[in-house]
Amino acid sequence: MILELDCGNTLIKWRILPAEGMAPAHSGCVESSAALIDSLQSLELPDLAWCRIVSVRGGGETQQLLDALTGHYPMTIRQAVPTQHCMGVTNGYQDYQRLGLDRWLAVLGGYHLASGACLIIDLGTAVTADLVGPDGRHLGGYICPGLPLMRAQLRTHTRRIRYEDIEAERALEDLSPGRGTAEAVERGCLLMLRGFVEMQCQHAREWLGDDVEVLLTGGDAPLVADLWPGARLVADLVFQGLALACPIE
């Protein structure tokens, strides 16, 4: 069995594959290494032999997580690292080591899924957009705040913007002009997000031609999926890239 980990700044996404190339048998999302181990132990997995991991956390914090895991399971670890070239894709950053690993893996996964020119947009806490040419050359990309960051900034720096999460959920039921603070903020932020995504799609077609494929991933991807004909939602794009970067033989 293979344990796959995507360690973001706040959450750890995990899933378990029975073997290489097979669909996940279990998956989840936790906030700490202790919670991860609790989740794994509840599944009773004595044959958990491999772990492949991508982490944007500091080296010390990542190593603590791996030490905790290997203390419970005698696993072989495969960890994604920055590379300039991988599986036919060329990193487009001037300093390839500065491109976020999760973003690089999404580029890898996206290019191989599209089998050609593509735009990869990851909509999470931050939003990233990356362009890849038909030859696998990463052209670079863009980063902007996602919905969580936009909300947090408004709530933090504007004294009178205060509302509950339940109000936020209800506010996104439509995009008519807001008649209350929650509606005005939530709909305004979503319209900014949708505008960014729509412009990225238009620019991608200008840069890469009409056949460019648009791939959307991340928690807020469903909120923009209707903006571009043929756009594909791919929830596990980083994991797909991780499997390419760290194959298990």
Side-chain angles (χ1 to χ4, degrees), residues 4-62:
E4 295 186 323
L5 299 175
D6 175 6
C7 301
N9 290 305
T10 56
L11 296 175
I12 302 171
K13 299 175 186 175
W14 63 272
R15 66 183 197 174
I16 294 185
L17 312 183
E20 186 72 290
M22 295 185 67
H26 307 280
S27 62
C29 187
V30 294
E31 295 183 351
S32 67
S33 57
L36 172 63
I37 291 170
D38 286 344
S39 297
L40 296 177
Q41 290 185 324
S42 70
L43 297 173
E44 299 182 357
L45 304 167
D47 54 347
L48 196 58
W50 292 88
C51 173
R52 57 185 167 211
I53 176 174
V54 54
S55 177
V56 299
R57 303 181 178 194
E61 187 177 358
T62 300

XYZ file of all heavy atoms in Angstrom, residues 4-62:
434
model
N -0.012 8.614 0.260
C 0.346 9.860 -0.418
C -0.041 11.032 0.470
O -1.151 11.058 1.014
C -0.367 9.963 -1.764
C 0.072 8.905 -2.757
C -0.542 9.106 -4.132
O -1.718 9.525 -4.204
O 0.144 8.830 -5.123
N 0.867 11.999 0.588
C 0.646 13.159 1.448
C 0.895 14.456 0.689
O 1.914 14.595 0.007
C 1.581 13.115 2.663
C 1.457 11.923 3.613
C 2.534 12.002 4.676
C 0.072 11.892 4.243
N -0.021 15.390 0.844
C 0.135 16.749 0.322
C 0.039 17.672 1.537
O -1.051 17.957 2.033
C -0.965 17.041 -0.698
C -0.945 18.491 -1.195
O -0.012 19.237 -0.839
O -1.871 18.865 -1.952
N 1.197 18.130 2.013
C 1.261 18.927 3.240
C 1.283 20.404 2.900
O 2.328 20.943 2.483
C 2.498 18.551 4.053
S 2.548 16.816 4.517
N 0.146 21.061 3.052
C 0.063 22.492 2.812
C 0.435 23.271 4.057
O 0.895 22.715 5.062
N 0.216 24.566 4.012
C 0.582 25.418 5.133
C -0.267 25.145 6.368
O 0.207 25.289 7.499
C 0.454 26.886 4.734
C 1.524 27.289 3.727
O 2.704 27.116 3.969
N 1.095 27.805 2.587
N -1.521 24.740 6.182
C -2.411 24.533 7.321
C -2.972 23.120 7.391
O -3.228 22.622 8.491
C -3.588 25.525 7.283
O -4.279 25.397 6.034
C -3.089 26.954 7.425
N -3.167 22.462 6.261
C -3.813 21.152 6.252
C -2.912 20.097 5.601
O -2.066 20.418 4.757
C -5.147 21.211 5.501
C -6.232 22.104 6.111
C -7.439 22.145 5.188
C -6.633 21.613 7.498
N -3.120 18.854 5.982
C -2.449 17.712 5.381
C -3.512 16.867 4.667
O -4.392 16.292 5.306
C -1.735 16.849 6.435
C -0.710 17.672 7.213
C -1.066 15.640 5.781
C -0.129 16.939 8.424
N -3.426 16.823 3.363
C -4.316 15.952 2.604
C -3.623 14.603 2.442
O -2.424 14.544 2.167
C -4.616 16.551 1.230
C -5.315 17.900 1.285
C -5.462 18.481 -0.111
C -6.031 19.892 -0.049
N -6.071 20.524 -1.393
N -4.371 13.526 2.618
C -3.778 12.200 2.500
C -4.711 11.254 1.764
O -5.921 11.456 1.722
C -3.440 11.621 3.878
C -4.635 11.392 4.779
C -5.202 12.286 5.630
C -5.424 10.194 4.866
N -6.283 11.727 6.265
C -6.430 10.438 5.819
C -5.351 8.943 4.247
C -7.379 9.479 6.152
C -6.301 7.981 4.582
C -7.297 8.257 5.522
N -4.109 10.251 1.179
C -4.896 9.175 0.585
C -4.036 7.920 0.511
O -2.804 7.993 0.543
C -5.439 9.555 -0.786
C -4.406 9.760 -1.863
C -5.088 10.194 -3.151
N -4.226 10.022 -4.319
C -4.621 10.218 -5.577
N -5.861 10.596 -5.814
N -3.794 10.033 -6.571
N -4.687 6.776 0.400
C -3.996 5.489 0.380
C -4.375 4.740 -0.891
O -5.564 4.558 -1.189
C -4.333 4.664 1.618
C -3.763 5.354 2.844
C -3.799 3.244 1.493
C -3.896 4.646 4.124
N -3.347 4.316 -1.638
C -3.542 3.516 -2.838
C -3.204 2.060 -2.519
O -2.168 1.780 -1.905
C -2.628 3.995 -3.966
C -2.565 5.497 -4.263
C -1.664 5.736 -5.467
C -3.944 6.079 -4.497
N -4.019 1.112 -2.943
C -3.674 -0.297 -2.736
C -2.366 -0.677 -3.424
O -1.602 -1.502 -2.921
C -4.867 -1.050 -3.339
C -5.996 -0.064 -3.280
C -5.369 1.280 -3.512
N -2.097 -0.052 -4.599
C -0.863 -0.281 -5.344
C -0.704 0.842 -6.347
O -1.647 1.614 -6.591
C -0.898 -1.634 -6.047
N 0.479 0.944 -6.940
C 0.750 1.996 -7.918
C -0.250 1.934 -9.063
O -0.545 0.870 -9.613
C 2.167 1.835 -8.466
C 2.614 2.955 -9.398
C 2.892 4.252 -8.648
O 1.917 4.869 -8.164
O 4.065 4.641 -8.549
N -0.812 3.107 -9.409
C -1.733 3.183 -10.528
C -3.176 2.860 -10.196
O -4.058 3.014 -11.052
N -3.450 2.437 -8.971
C -4.823 2.097 -8.591
C -5.530 3.286 -7.951
O -4.889 4.230 -7.490
C -4.818 0.910 -7.622
C -4.303 -0.376 -8.222
S -4.456 -1.798 -7.105
C -6.242 -1.968 -7.018
N -6.847 3.252 -7.961
C -7.641 4.322 -7.359
C -7.488 4.292 -5.837
O -7.262 3.241 -5.249
C -9.111 4.155 -7.739
N -7.611 5.455 -5.191
C -7.478 5.502 -3.728
C -8.534 4.647 -3.035
O -9.702 4.642 -3.433
C -7.667 6.985 -3.402
C -7.408 7.708 -4.675
C -7.827 6.793 -5.776
N -8.092 3.965 -1.988
C -9.024 3.182 -1.176
C -9.522 3.991 0.016
O -10.627 3.758 0.521
C -8.346 1.901 -0.690
N -8.707 4.947 0.482
C -9.064 5.793 1.620
C -8.468 7.180 1.382
O -7.430 7.325 0.722
C -8.515 5.235 2.934
C -8.867 3.802 3.191
N -10.091 3.414 3.673
C -8.142 2.669 3.035
C -10.116 2.103 3.806
N -8.951 1.624 3.426
N -9.090 8.199 1.951
C -8.553 9.555 1.839
C -9.109 10.413 2.965
O -10.092 10.052 3.615
C -8.909 10.179 0.481
O -10.313 10.302 0.338
N -8.451 11.545 3.183
C -8.915 12.449 4.217
C -8.093 13.720 4.258
O -7.195 13.931 3.428
N -8.396 14.559 5.224
C -7.710 15.836 5.393
C -7.657 16.131 6.889
O -8.691 16.071 7.571
C -8.463 16.934 4.644
S -7.621 18.521 4.614
N -6.459 16.416 7.396
C -6.275 16.633 8.833
C -5.426 17.880 9.061
O -4.832 18.437 8.131
C -5.614 15.412 9.509
C -6.531 14.199 9.454
C -4.266 15.098 8.859
N -5.358 18.297 10.329
C -4.635 19.512 10.662
C -3.270 19.268 11.285
O -2.486 20.204 11.428
C -5.481 20.377 11.610
C -6.768 20.889 10.980
C -7.544 21.797 11.912
O -7.163 21.887 13.103
O -8.524 22.409 11.452
N -2.962 18.020 11.661
C -1.705 17.766 12.363
C -1.215 16.361 12.088
O -1.973 15.492 11.633
C -1.892 17.951 13.871
O -2.753 16.941 14.389
N 0.074 16.126 12.391
C 0.638 14.788 12.219
C -0.019 13.796 13.171
O -0.226 12.628 12.820
C 2.148 14.829 12.437
O 2.461 15.351 13.717
N -0.363 14.235 14.381
C -1.026 13.348 15.331
C -2.388 12.902 14.801
O -2.758 11.722 14.908
C -1.186 14.051 16.676
N -3.121 13.844 14.210
C -4.426 13.497 13.646
C -4.270 12.562 12.451
O -5.100 11.668 12.230
C -5.164 14.764 13.230
N -3.208 12.746 11.671
C -2.944 11.855 10.543
C -2.709 10.429 11.031
O -3.296 9.477 10.504
C -1.738 12.356 9.759
C -1.226 11.433 8.652
C -2.280 11.233 7.574
C 0.063 11.982 8.049
N -1.858 10.281 12.018
C -1.552 8.947 12.538
C -2.801 8.305 13.138
O -3.058 7.108 12.958
C -0.403 9.026 13.562
C 0.902 9.383 12.832
C -0.250 7.713 14.312
C 2.047 9.709 13.730
N -3.613 9.096 13.844
C -4.867 8.564 14.382
C -5.762 8.034 13.259
O -6.371 6.961 13.381
C -5.615 9.647 15.159
C -4.965 9.947 16.511
O -4.133 9.128 16.963
O -5.277 11.005 17.086
N -5.833 8.788 12.159
C -6.664 8.367 11.028
C -6.147 7.072 10.418
O -6.930 6.164 10.092
C -6.697 9.472 9.962
O -7.298 10.647 10.462
N -4.829 6.981 10.269
C -4.243 5.776 9.678
C -4.432 4.567 10.582
O -4.770 3.471 10.106
C -2.761 6.005 9.391
C -2.426 7.090 8.361
C -0.919 7.249 8.234
C -3.052 6.780 7.011
N -4.217 4.768 11.882
C -4.337 3.638 12.805
C -5.767 3.125 12.893
O -5.996 1.935 13.117
C -3.814 4.038 14.179
C -2.299 4.219 14.211
C -1.768 4.489 15.600
O -2.408 5.165 16.396
N -0.582 3.973 15.899
N -6.732 4.010 12.690
C -8.128 3.571 12.723
C -8.457 2.646 11.555
O -9.439 1.896 11.607
C -9.060 4.788 12.709
O -9.031 5.432 11.446
N -7.638 2.694 10.500
C -7.878 1.858 9.318
C -7.204 0.488 9.421
O -7.496 -0.405 8.621
C -7.375 2.569 8.060
C -8.064 3.891 7.716
C -7.361 4.564 6.547
C -9.535 3.658 7.380
N -6.270 0.344 10.377
C -5.560 -0.911 10.569
C -4.917 -1.384 9.260
O -5.402 -2.297 8.585
C -6.503 -1.989 11.125
C -7.093 -1.611 12.488
C -7.991 -2.689 13.059
O -8.211 -3.711 12.365
O -8.486 -2.513 14.184
N -3.808 -0.759 8.911
C -3.127 -1.013 7.641
C -1.734 -1.593 7.902
O -0.736 -0.885 7.847
C -3.006 0.288 6.843
C -4.318 1.025 6.551
C -4.046 2.421 6.047
C -5.141 0.236 5.539
N -1.608 -2.876 8.148
C -0.303 -3.456 8.484
C 0.677 -3.474 7.317
O 1.884 -3.547 7.520
C -0.660 -4.885 8.914
C -1.946 -5.177 8.208
C -2.685 -3.876 8.152
N 0.173 -3.427 6.056
C 1.053 -3.523 4.898
C 1.311 -2.163 4.247
O 1.522 -2.067 3.040
C 0.475 -4.493 3.868
C -0.965 -4.146 3.474
O -1.577 -3.312 4.171
O -1.453 -4.716 2.489
N 1.288 -1.104 5.022
C 1.585 0.231 4.518
C 3.102 0.342 4.370
O 3.824 0.566 5.330
C 1.055 1.286 5.495
C 0.930 2.716 4.991
C 0.031 2.806 3.777
C 0.391 3.612 6.100
N 3.588 0.187 3.128
C 5.026 0.038 2.904
C 5.693 1.261 2.303
O 6.904 1.428 2.422
C 5.280 -1.169 1.998
N 4.919 2.111 1.634
C 5.500 3.255 0.933
C 4.791 4.544 1.326
O 3.596 4.544 1.614
C 5.370 3.085 -0.583
C 6.191 1.981 -1.159
C 5.833 0.663 -1.305
C 7.518 2.092 -1.675
N 6.841 -0.045 -1.865
C 7.900 0.808 -2.121
C 8.409 3.152 -1.807
C 9.141 0.559 -2.689
C 9.645 2.906 -2.379
C 10.006 1.616 -2.808
N 5.535 5.627 1.286
C 4.955 6.956 1.462
C 5.620 7.901 0.474
O 6.852 7.958 0.387
C 5.187 7.467 2.889
S 4.685 9.192 3.142
N 4.810 8.615 -0.288
C 5.365 9.694 -1.094
C 4.692 10.994 -0.678
O 3.492 11.030 -0.424
C 5.250 9.422 -2.588
C 3.887 9.166 -3.147
C 4.001 8.803 -4.628
N 2.785 8.260 -5.167
C 2.746 7.359 -6.144
N 3.850 6.893 -6.688
N 1.583 6.906 -6.592
N 5.494 12.031 -0.613
C 5.042 13.242 0.043
C 5.504 14.475 -0.712
O 6.629 14.525 -1.232
C 5.563 13.289 1.508
C 5.175 14.605 2.190
C 7.061 13.061 1.578
C 5.535 14.654 3.670
N 4.637 15.470 -0.766
C 5.018 16.816 -1.160
C 4.671 17.716 0.012
O 3.592 17.615 0.603
C 4.301 17.277 -2.443
C 2.792 17.147 -2.343
C 4.687 18.723 -2.767
N 5.602 18.585 0.366
C 5.390 19.466 1.512
C 5.907 20.862 1.206
O 7.016 21.025 0.682
C 6.112 18.916 2.746
O 5.970 19.809 3.844
N 5.087 21.862 1.531
C 5.527 23.256 1.405
C 5.931 23.801 2.771
O 6.210 24.994 2.905
C 4.422 24.141 0.774
C 4.079 23.640 -0.611
C 3.174 24.180 1.656
N 5.972 22.925 3.775
C 6.355 23.334 5.119
C 7.876 23.349 5.251
O 8.595 22.854 4.379
C 5.732 22.391 6.148
C 4.219 22.336 6.040
C 3.586 21.434 7.063
N 2.127 21.455 6.949
C 1.303 20.986 7.842
N 1.755 20.438 8.954
N -0.006 21.057 7.654
N 8.362 23.913 6.335
C 9.791 23.938 6.584
C 10.368 22.539 6.706
O 9.659 21.578 7.037
N 11.679 22.433 6.455
C 12.321 21.133 6.495
C 12.198 20.446 7.832
O 11.959 19.229 7.906
N 12.350 21.200 8.937
C 12.247 20.615 10.269
C 10.863 20.078 10.557
O 10.713 18.970 11.093
N 9.843 20.846 10.206
C 8.463 20.416 10.457
C 8.107 19.191 9.620
O 7.449 18.256 10.106
C 7.501 21.564 10.156
C 6.063 21.278 10.537
C 5.143 22.463 10.293
O 5.637 23.533 9.865
O 3.929 22.308 10.522
N 8.565 19.193 8.364
C 8.303 18.036 7.501
C 8.989 16.793 8.036
O 8.411 15.699 8.058
C 8.779 18.330 6.072
O 8.078 19.474 5.559
C 8.511 17.144 5.155
